[in-house]
Amino acid sequence: MKFHILIVAFILISQSIIGQTLVSGKISDEKGVPIPLANVLIQKKDSTKQIISYTYTNNDGFYKLSSDRVGNFNIVISALGFEKKIIPLKILETSQNLIKNTFLLEKPISLNQITIKVDPPILVRNDTITFKSSAFTDGTEQTVEDLLKKIPGLNISSEGIIRVGNIEIEKLMVDGDDLFEKGYRILSKNMPAYPIDKIEVLKHYSNNKLLKNIENSDKVALNLKLSEDYKNLWFGNFQTNIGNDSFYELKSNLMNFGKKNKYFFLTNFNNIGVDATGDINSLIRPYRANESSNIGDNQSVRNLLNLSSTNLNFDRSRTNFNNAKLLSLNAIFNPNDRLKIKTLAFFNWDKNEYLRNKIESVDVNDSQFTNTEDLNIEKNKTIVFGKFDLTYDISKTQTLETTTKFNTSNFDDGSNLTFNNQPTLENLNSDNTLFDQKINYTNRLSTNKALLITGHFKNEEAPQNYKINQFFYEDLFTDFNTANNVQQSSNSQMQYIGLNAHLLDKKFNDNLLELQVGNSYRKDKLNTTFSIFENNILLEKPEGFQNRTTYQINDLYLKSKYTYKIKNLSIVGKLDLHQFFNRLSSNSVSKKQNPFFINPNLGINWKINENHKVSSSYALNSTNTSTIDVYSDFVLTNFRSFSKGTGEINRLNSSILNLNYNYENWKKQFFVNTGIVYSKNHDFLSTNSVIEQNYIQTEKILIKNRSYLNITATSDYFINIFSSNLKIDMGYLKSNFKNSINNSELRTVVSTIYKYGFELKSGFTGKFNYHFGTKWTQNEIQTNIRNSFNDNVSFLDLKFLFSEKLNLQLQTERYYFGNLNTDNTYYFLDFETGYEIIKSKLTLGISGKNLFNTKVFRNFNVSDIGTSTTEYRLLPRYVLFKLEYRF
C-alpha cells in the first residue's frame, strides 16, 4: 500500500513539473560582473500586476523561475544600486524552457534616512515584561539563578527565593511549561544559563488558563524562553570540580525542550556545602495563597523533635559540612492537543555535619546560671519523591486536572553533645510517608463566568524514635536516682479530605463576584511514650508525660467576595462563614465544640496610573488551635526541654491591617515598594515556663493581646550617569507579647528590630564591574532588663573580563558583631576564574573559597531570658579545579 501511494505521488509530481514553464537566466552589470541577491519576479502584464512567481539571484547571478500559466507577462528585475528593468515575457504553452539573460545599469543612490530595527533589552507589552538576556549578562553566569540576579526588578534572596518587587513568583517555567511548581529553586540553582534567550515576567498571572481575564490576580510568574539553537534537540553540560582535601562538586544537566515533549534531567554531587535543592518542602508540599484550588495544600504533619542547627544570618554553605547527592528526572508529554502529562522523580541523599559551641547566660526572675554546649550533629537523610500530573482539555471551556504525589523520607540524626562538661549521645530516627491526591475540574460557563470544583485527599504519617544516654532530670523525677538514659517514641498521623466549589462571575463593568462553598475535614492522631531507663531496664513511664490524642476538625464553610470597581479604584469585600464541628480526645478525656465563625475583610486597591499603586486591607479572623497546641501531657522536644499544649479546644481571634505602596517603571528601571502590617492577636497562645539549669518545662497558655508592627521599604534604581543600579532596603519590626517564667505573674516582652542597608551594582559594558553593599541589624529585647546587639555585614565583589575567553571574579565579605569584646570581626575572600578553550564547548577554571582560612565564626544573640554567644566551625580553605563541557 505504501509503495502504491509513493508511485501515485511520484506521477502527480512528475506531471506537475512537466506541465510548468521554466524561466532561467543570468543577471550581471554592464561589465558582465554577476549581481547577487537581485530580486526577479514574473508579473502579469495587465492592470492587476499579479505576481505569479519570484526568486533571488545566487552569488553567480543566476536565477530560475517556474510558471504553469500561459499569456503575456513581465519579468521585473531590481537590485540595490541598479536601475529596475522590465523584460516582456510571452508564454504560449506550458512545458517550455526559456532563457532570459540581461544586464542592469548602475544607479547612484542617496540615503536620506536609515532605519535600523533594534531588539530592545526591555520590552513592556500589556502584562508581560520581556528582558533580552544578552543585554544584562557578560558570559560568567553559570546557572539560571546567576542570570536572574542581573535582571532589574527581580530580587533573589540568599536562599534562592525569587521575588518581583516584594511578591514571590508562582512558578519558573521553560518555554511556557512548569517543571517544579513552588520547588522552582531546583531549576534555578541547577539549570545552566547559556541557553536562555529571554526572560518574561508575567504579571496578573493565572495558574488556571480558563480563569484568564476572569479572576483578579496579583500573581507573578517567570518564563524562560530558549534560544532557537536549543529547541527540539538534546543538549546539556557536565561540570566537574576537584580540589584539595577531597573537596569536590560534580553536576550535569541533560535537556530537550520540544513542542510536544520536554525533558530535564539533572544531577548534583558535592561536599563543598552547596545546597542544590533550596527548600525541599516547597517541592513536596507547595502552597499558593489566594489560589482558587489550594484547599488542603497547607495541611501537613509537624514533628515534635528535631536535632537541627540554628538559622544563621550567614552564608550557610560555609558551615554546611555535607555530602549531597541529587537526582531529578522530569518529563512533560503532549500526546495530543488535549492531553498533557507531567512526571517527576526526585531523589536526594545527604550527610550533614554541624559543629557549634554555645555559652548561654540566663537571667530571669530569681534564676541566674550559665550553660555551655559543645555540639557535633551528624544528619543523614534520604528523600524519594514522585509526582504525576495529568491535564485533559475536555473541550475548549472544560479542563480536568489531577495530581498524584508520593513521598517517603528517612532522617537518621545523631549528636555528640557535651553539656556542662558532661558527655552525651543523642539519636533521633524520623520517617515520613505522604500520599497526596488532588482533582480539579474547571468549566468556563461563559466569557465572564467560571466554575471550579476541587477535591483533595492527604494521608501523612511521621513516626520518631529518640534516645539520649544521659539523665538530666533528677530534680524533675526525684524517685529515679539510678536512671541513666531516656527514650521517647512518637507517631503523628494525619488524614485530610476537602471538597470545594468556586464560582467566579465577572460583571459588565469588571466587578467580580466570587462564591465558595465546601467542607474540610482533618483527623490527627498523636501518640507519644516517654520512658526512663537504667541501662536497658525500664524504670518508669512517668504519668503526665504520655499522650494519646485524637483531634478532629470538620469545617463547613461559605466564602463570598465581591470586587467593585470605580475607574482605577477597586473596593474588595470578603465575608467567610465557618461552622466547625470539633472533637478532642486526649488520654481518654473527650471534648466537643461546635463554634460558628464569621471572618470579614475589607480592602481597597487604587491604581493611580501605570506606575503608582496603593492597596490597603483590614481583616478580622477567628481560627481553631492546631494539633500541636492541644495535647495534654508533656513531650520531650530536645535533650533538656519538655513542652505540652493546652488540653483544650481554643478559639483564637485576631485582626490585621495592611497598607502598601508600589511604584514600578520597567523602562527607567526604577522600583519602590513600601509596606506596613499591623497585627493584633486578641487571643493567642503564650507560654508558662519553668526554667532550671538542667531542664525546661513549657506549657502553653491562652492569654490576651499580642501586637505586631512591621514596616518595610525597598527601592531599586538604575542610575544612567554611573551605569549602576542602586538598591536601598530598610525595615522596622516591633512585637509586644506576654509570658510567664517560673510561675511568676505575666510579664511584658517587647522585641524591636531595625534593618537598613544599600547595594550598588555596576552595569558597565567594558572589562570591569563591581558590586558592593552593607547591611546593619539592631535587635533589642526588653523585659525587666534590656538586652540588645548590633551587627553589620558588608561585601565587595569585583569582576574582570580580560578577554572573551578569560574572566576573574572576586568576592569579599566582612561580618561585624558589636556585642563581642574579642573576635568580633571576620573577613572572607573567595574567587573564581574561567578560561574558554573551545567557544561554547569547553571551559577550564579555578575557584577558591575562604582563602583567609577562617576556622570559626562567633555571633551574639539575645532573648527574653538572657544572652548567648555561639561559635560555629567553618569549612576550611579549599581550591577547586573546574572543567565544564557543553554538548
Side-chain angles (χ1 to χ4, degrees):
M1 185 64 183
K2 293 179 179 178
F3 177 77
H4 291 163
I5 293 173
L6 289 173
I7 292 296
V8 172
F10 177 79
I11 293 172
L12 292 174
I13 293 171
S14 300
Q15 289 179 344
S16 176
I17 294 174
I18 292 172
Q20 289 184 338
T21 295
L22 297 179
V23 181
S24 61
K26 181 179 180 180
I27 310 298
S28 59
D29 63 11
E30 292 177 285
K31 298 179 180 179
V33 178
I35 301 175
L37 297 177
N39 183 33
V40 184
L41 58 89
I42 298 177
Q43 191 178 62
K44 272 192 174 184
K45 205 170 185 178
D46 58 18
S47 59
T48 65
K49 295 185 178 180
Q50 180 185 358
I51 296 174
I52 304 303
S53 182
Y54 72 93
T55 188
Y56 294 92
T57 57
N58 61 18
N59 290 333
D60 297 322
F62 287 103
Y63 72 93
K64 182 182 290 187
L65 293 169
S66 63
S67 173
D68 58 358
R69 303 191 186 188
V70 294
N72 295 318
F73 305 92
N74 284 328
I75 299 176
V76 182
I77 305 168
S78 61
L80 186 65
F82 295 88
E83 291 182 355
K84 181 189 292 187
K85 193 165 190 176
I86 299 176
I87 303 174
L89 175 68
K90 191 172 185 178
I91 302 177
L92 299 177
E93 61 182 37
T94 58
S95 304
Q96 299 183 75
N97 288 324
L98 303 176
I99 298 176
K100 297 291 183 179
N101 297 323
T102 189
F103 64 90
L104 301 181
L105 298 176
E106 288 188 1
K107 180 183 179 182
I109 58 174
S110 175
L111 297 178
N112 297 322
Q113 180 178 351
I114 299 176
T115 302
I116 301 175
K117 186 178 180 181
V118 179
D119 195 1
I122 302 177
L123 178 63
V124 181
R125 183 175 296 167
N126 298 326
D127 291 334
T128 302
I129 300 98
T130 303
F131 298 88
K132 190 169 180 60
S133 62
S134 60
F136 301 93
T137 59
D138 51 30
T140 61
E141 304 77 23
Q142 295 189 21
T143 64
V144 167
E145 182 176 275
D146 297 335
L147 170 62
L148 296 179
K149 286 179 179 179
K150 298 184 176 181
I151 302 301
L154 301 188
N155 298 306
I156 319 298
S157 72
S158 57
E159 296 83 17
I161 299 173
I162 304 172
R163 291 184 174 89
V164 178
N166 58 353
I167 301 175
E168 184 183 356
I169 65 171
E170 292 291 302
K171 56 182 67 171
L172 180 62
M173 298 178 286
V174 179
D175 276 351
D177 277 314
D178 178 26
L179 294 165
F180 291 97
E181 293 187 276
K182 279 290 188 177
Y184 59 79
R185 280 173 273 182
I186 298 173
L187 176 71
S188 60
K189 287 178 175 292
N190 292 278
M191 182 176 177
Y194 63 83
I196 309 303
D197 179 43
K198 295 178 181 178
I199 300 98
E200 291 182 333
V201 177
L202 308 176
K203 301 174 65 179
H204 305 296
Y205 181 77
S206 293
N207 286 299
N208 189 326
K209 63 183 180 181
L210 293 181
L211 299 185
K212 184 68 174 176
N213 298 323
I214 295 182
E215 69 170 341
N216 294 327
S217 172
D218 290 326
K219 303 180 184 73
V220 182
L222 293 186
N223 181 38
L224 307 176
K225 299 192 73 173
L226 298 180
S227 170
E228 292 295 329
D229 296 338
Y230 294 99
K231 292 184 178 181
N232 298 302
L233 55 84
W234 287 98
F235 71 97
N237 70 326
F238 174 80
Q239 182 175 317
T240 175
N241 299 273
I242 305 297
N244 59 292
D245 299 329
S246 301
F247 282 108
Y248 76 95
E249 182 180 28
L250 304 173
K251 57 183 181 180
S252 64
N253 296 272
L254 178 62
M255 296 158 278
N256 188 317
F257 298 102
K259 291 184 178 180
K260 283 288 186 181
N261 302 324
K262 290 182 172 65
Y263 305 92
F264 181 36
F265 307 145
L266 69 93
T267 60
N268 189 301
F269 304 81
N270 80 87
N271 66 352
I272 58 174
V274 173
D275 180 7
T277 66
D279 180 11
I280 192 64
N281 200 51
S282 298
L283 174 68
I284 300 172
R285 301 172 182 84
Y287 177 70
R288 295 186 172 101
N290 302 317
E291 183 72 19
S292 300
S293 58
N294 69 356
I295 177 173
D297 288 353
N298 59 343
Q299 304 294 321
S300 62
V301 166
R302 286 179 57 186
N303 287 328
L304 297 172
L305 219 156
N306 188 17
L307 302 187
S308 65
S309 56
T310 306
N311 290 326
L312 293 172
N313 182 23
F314 185 66
D315 184 355
R316 184 174 176 270
S317 66
R318 298 193 187 278
T319 62
N320 185 27
F321 291 77
N322 72 324
N323 193 357
K325 300 175 179 64
L326 166 66
L327 173 63
S328 180
L329 308 173
N330 295 68
I332 298 177
F333 305 98
N334 293 273
N336 54 55
D337 292 339
R338 291 188 172 188
L339 182 62
K340 176 175 288 189
I341 300 171
K342 297 182 184 180
T343 61
L344 185 154
F346 179 86
F347 308 90
N348 184 212
W349 304 267
D350 205 352
K351 180 178 180 181
N352 301 90
E353 191 175 3
Y354 178 79
L355 300 96
R356 70 161 172 82
N357 301 325
K358 182 178 180 180
I359 300 175
E360 181 182 29
S361 298
V362 175
D363 185 359
V364 55
N365 294 347
D366 295 328
S367 297
Q368 294 180 344
F369 55 84
T370 298
N371 284 333
T372 62
E373 298 178 18
D374 294 341
L375 178 65
N376 184 346
I377 297 177
E378 184 178 288
K379 301 169 72 72
N380 295 274
K381 72 177 180 182
T382 303
I383 298 175
V384 178
F385 174 69
K387 184 165 76 80
F388 179 85
D389 289 347
L390 185 149
T391 302
Y392 179 67
D393 293 333
I394 302 171
S395 66
K396 291 183 179 180
T397 60
Q398 297 182 73
T399 300
L400 181 67
E401 300 171 283
T402 69
T403 299
T404 304
K405 300 177 187 176
F406 177 77
N407 176 68
T408 177
S409 305
N410 175 260
F411 303 87
D412 188 7
D413 304 337
S415 80
N416 190 340
L417 168 69
T418 301
F419 177 65
N420 292 339
N421 297 318
Q422 189 169 1
T424 305
L425 296 176
E426 295 178 277
N427 179 260
L428 174 64
N429 187 274
S430 305
D431 293 300
N432 184 283
T433 304
L434 169 69
F435 176 78
D436 188 339
Q437 177 68 60
K438 181 190 278 192
I439 300 177
N440 188 45
Y441 167 76
T442 307
N443 188 345
R444 186 147 183 164
L445 304 172
S446 65
T447 304
N448 299 319
K449 187 181 295 185
L451 174 67
L452 290 83
I453 300 176
T454 304
H456 201 168
F457 172 76
K458 274 187 176 182
N459 187 79
E460 187 172 9
E461 185 172 2
Q464 288 189 306
N465 290 291
Y466 175 72
K467 298 178 181 179
I468 178 171
N469 72 340
Q470 289 290 349
F471 188 70
F472 294 110
Y473 327 112
E474 294 90 349
D475 296 335
L476 185 61
F477 304 103
T478 57
D479 296 334
F480 305 103
N481 295 327
T482 60
N484 56 19
N485 70 95
V486 299
Q487 297 182 21
Q488 178 176 277
S489 62
S490 65
N491 190 17
S492 298
Q493 295 176 287
M494 177 202 74
Q495 282 189 342
Y496 175 84
I497 301 174
L499 182 64
N500 182 77
H502 188 178
L503 176 68
L504 298 94
D505 185 5
K506 200 157 205 175
K507 307 301 182 181
F508 68 95
N509 53 358
D510 281 344
N511 295 345
L512 179 62
L513 172 65
E514 297 183 61
L515 295 174
Q516 291 188 62
V517 60
N519 191 84
S520 175
Y521 172 79
R522 172 169 172 158
K523 181 179 180 180
D524 286 271
K525 289 185 177 180
L526 174 63
N527 297 325
T528 68
T529 302
F530 177 73
S531 304
I532 301 175
F533 286 83
E534 180 183 2
N535 298 324
N536 294 322
I537 301 173
L538 175 64
L539 298 181
E540 184 67 35
K541 295 180 180 179
E543 186 177 350
F545 291 80
Q546 323 298 322
N547 284 280
R548 299 292 181 271
T549 300
T550 301
Y551 189 31
Q552 301 175 66
I553 301 176
N554 192 87
D555 178 14
L556 178 64
Y557 59 83
L558 172 65
K559 299 180 180 181
S560 60
K561 178 181 177 182
Y562 191 79
T563 303
Y564 182 74
K565 286 195 171 184
I566 308 172
K567 294 184 178 179
N568 290 333
L569 184 68
S570 298
I571 301 174
V572 183
K574 298 180 185 179
L575 188 65
D576 297 348
L577 309 178
H578 296 266
Q579 176 62 62
F580 284 93
F581 302 92
N582 303 328
R583 181 184 179 94
L584 173 63
S585 176
S586 184
N587 295 344
S588 301
V589 178
S590 296
K591 300 173 183 179
K592 292 183 179 180
Q593 260 191 18
N594 300 322
F596 180 72
F597 294 168
I598 300 177
N599 294 334
N601 184 301
L602 180 64
I604 297 176
N605 299 316
W606 183 22
K607 186 177 180 181
I608 302 173
N609 54 40
E610 288 300 319
N611 303 122
H612 300 269
K613 298 173 186 175
V614 176
S615 63
S616 180
S617 66
Y618 178 75
L620 296 174
N621 194 34
S622 295
T623 60
N624 272 321
T625 46
S626 63
T627 305
I628 205 72
D629 301 319
V630 300
Y631 57 88
S632 59
D633 282 10
F634 284 101
V635 296
L636 195 62
T637 56
N638 71 30
F639 75 95
R640 57 186 284 263
S641 298
F642 295 89
S643 176
K644 81 169 184 175
T646 62
E648 302 286 342
I649 305 173
N650 299 115
R651 173 175 177 169
L652 306 178
N653 299 302
S654 64
S655 58
I656 184 169
L657 174 66
N658 280 288
L659 178 62
N660 293 281
Y661 166 75
N662 174 261
Y663 174 85
E664 53 182 48
N665 190 321
W666 294 92
K667 292 182 179 179
K668 292 185 177 180
Q669 301 181 42
F670 185 26
F671 310 91
V672 176
N673 291 282
T674 61
I676 300 175
V677 179
Y678 177 75
S679 174
K680 184 82 170 182
N681 295 96
H682 308 288
D683 310 287
F684 80 100
L685 294 179
S686 186
T687 56
N688 179 19
S689 301
V690 175
I691 299 178
E692 300 293 341
Q693 185 161 18
N694 284 346
Y695 71 89
I696 299 174
Q697 270 189 300
T698 300
E699 179 180 357
K700 292 186 178 180
I701 56 175
L702 182 67
I703 61 176
K704 301 287 185 180
N705 298 332
R706 176 176 63 179
S707 63
Y708 169 95
L709 175 64
N710 186 21
I711 303 174
T712 59
T714 61
S715 68
D716 191 337
Y717 180 57
F718 186 79
I719 307 172
N720 286 311
I721 192 171
F722 299 115
S723 296
S724 298
N725 200 73
L726 175 65
K727 288 186 178 182
I728 299 175
D729 189 357
M730 294 181 290
Y732 171 80
L733 173 63
K734 184 175 183 179
S735 64
N736 188 318
F737 64 96
K738 297 179 180 179
N739 63 12
S740 175
I741 302 294
N742 293 342
N743 297 312
S744 66
E745 294 183 356
L746 290 175
R747 60 179 195 146
T748 300
V749 180
V750 180
S751 174
T752 307
I753 300 175
Y754 299 89
K755 292 184 179 181
Y756 46 92
F758 75 92
E759 297 179 24
L760 189 64
K761 185 176 183 180
S762 66
F764 304 145
T765 58
K767 297 184 177 182
F768 168 74
N769 274 285
Y770 65 84
H771 184 198
F772 69 88
T774 187
K775 185 175 183 179
W776 289 90
T777 302
Q778 297 180 20
N779 195 334
E780 179 183 281
I781 292 183
Q782 182 176 356
T783 53
N784 56 325
I785 59 174
R786 177 177 296 180
N787 293 317
S788 65
F789 68 80
N790 191 0
D791 297 344
N792 173 253
V793 179
S794 301
F795 67 91
L796 171 63
D797 299 341
L798 302 175
K799 183 179 295 184
F800 302 90
L801 298 175
F802 299 110
S803 67
E804 291 184 356
K805 292 186 175 184
L806 180 62
N807 67 82
L808 171 65
Q809 300 175 66
L810 298 174
Q811 296 93 33
T812 64
E813 294 177 339
R814 176 187 181 271
Y815 292 84
Y816 169 77
F817 300 97
N819 293 67
L820 297 177
N821 295 324
T822 59
D823 298 329
N824 60 2
T825 306
Y826 298 88
Y827 295 91
F828 296 92
L829 173 63
D830 307 326
F831 83 94
E832 184 169 355
T833 183
Y835 182 76
E836 195 173 45
I837 296 178
I838 303 175
K839 185 175 179 59
S840 302
K841 283 290 184 182
L842 182 63
T843 302
L844 295 179
I846 303 175
S847 64
K849 200 156 187 176
N850 192 12
L851 296 186
F852 296 141
N853 204 26
T854 305
K855 303 286 188 182
V856 296
F857 174 83
R858 297 168 66 236
N859 70 358
F860 184 85
N861 283 293
V862 298
S863 70
D864 64 311
I865 62 172
T867 62
S868 63
T869 301
T870 310
E871 182 179 276
Y872 306 90
R873 199 181 93 182
L874 303 179
L875 269 73
R877 173 176 52 213
Y878 64 81
V879 176
L880 299 176
F881 293 90
K882 179 181 77 172
L883 182 148
E884 181 187 6
Y885 178 72
R886 301 177 185 177
F887 53 88

